[in-house]
Amino acid sequence: MKKVLIISGHPDLKKSNANKTILEEIEKLLPDAEIRKLDELYPDYQIDIKAEQAALEKADIIIFQYPVHWYSVPALLKVYIDKVMEHSWAYGSKGNALKGKFFIASMTVGGPEKEYQHEGIVTYTMDEFMAFIKRYTVTCKMEFKKLFCTYSANYIKGVYPEEKYTQVVTDCKKHAAELAEFVKTL
């Protein structure tokens, strides 16, 4: 099986329900995958560029797992991208470190899927919002494989009923299972 690297871009997994559940399930379903939890590794946002580049170089499949924040990646993941994906390493005429690697975007969104339609309140699809991620993979000469998204993944204790928590966990376990099955096909 190919070497799988998962970059968890959640800014605080201790406060997560959805992303934490997905990662816990992935650990069971893909036990050989390396999971780098940026919030634990770099709570001060001071990314060890060389360590992260070394991890990426060893991988065949790279997965970014994160919650969508303001229709984009969280700040911690953005800092990671900005710092680690250096010119002449990840892109540019000499930047071939990621060339040919498979890339998967795996995310959670607080709102329901119906809002992320042209007729919905957001007026754009998640695929349209994530065009920059697809462009990023092309720039780094990676092969974008798929976008996985779980909608309505927001649960706040005391605000939502407990049934909502159960639904989020169920949906996120399904997300992880589908992601793991897809990875196994690559």
Side-chain angles (χ1 to χ4, degrees):
M1 188 168 155
K2 296 184 183 303
K3 176 107 172 86
V4 179
L5 174 66
I6 301 167
I7 303 298
S8 167
H10 195 290
D12 189 356
L13 277 169
K14 291 182 201 94
K15 294 181 180 176
S16 172
N17 296 302
N19 283 262
K20 187 165 90 175
T21 298
I22 291 168
L23 290 171
E24 287 170 351
E25 287 299 303
I26 287 293
E27 284 177 320
K28 295 174 197 168
L29 299 167
L30 298 174
D32 294 331
E34 179 182 0
I35 301 175
R36 297 188 64 79
K37 298 175 182 174
L38 299 181
D39 68 318
E40 292 176 9
L41 292 167
Y42 310 112
D44 58 0
Y45 285 48
Q46 299 303 308
I47 310 290
D48 182 338
I49 296 167
K50 295 303 176 201
E52 295 308 316
Q53 288 176 342
L56 288 162
E57 286 173 353
K58 289 185 242 171
D60 300 304
I61 301 168
I62 299 165
I63 302 169
F64 282 5
Q65 174 63 53
Y66 60 94
V68 172
H69 283 192
W70 284 102
Y71 314 107
S72 187
V73 298
L76 180 57
L77 185 54
K78 180 65 168 94
V79 169
Y80 173 92
I81 293 168
D82 290 348
K83 301 267 186 195
V84 175
M85 306 307 168
E86 293 178 316
H87 185 270
S88 294
W89 181 81
Y91 68 98
S93 62
K94 297 177 187 173
N96 291 312
L98 303 174
K99 185 176 182 177
K101 295 179 185 291
F102 295 151
F103 182 87
I104 299 169
S106 176
M107 62 197 70
T108 59
V109 180
E113 186 173 9
K114 68 180 182 177
E115 291 180 3
Y116 291 86
Q117 306 298 323
H118 294 159
E119 305 78 29
I121 192 167
V122 178
T123 69
Y124 292 95
T125 66
M126 190 52 63
D127 199 51
E128 290 169 330
F129 276 118
M130 293 302 117
F132 84 93
I133 285 283
K134 290 178 182 179
R135 184 64 226 162
Y136 152 77
T137 61
V138 169
T139 300
C140 294
K141 303 174 189 101
M142 291 186 278
E143 186 178 331
F144 182 87
K145 295 308 278 183
K146 193 164 181 174
L147 182 147
F148 285 86
C149 185
T150 293
Y151 296 90
S152 299
N154 189 18
Y155 170 77
I156 303 168
K157 189 173 183 162
V159 174
Y160 297 114
E162 281 296 315
E163 298 81 43
K164 171 73 170 157
Y165 173 79
T166 303
Q167 188 62 56
V168 167
V169 169
T170 299
D171 292 348
C172 289
K173 285 182 177 184
K174 180 180 177 206
H175 176 126
E178 290 172 0
L179 175 58
E181 283 306 309
F182 181 75
V183 166
K184 291 174 185 176
T185 69
L186 299 176

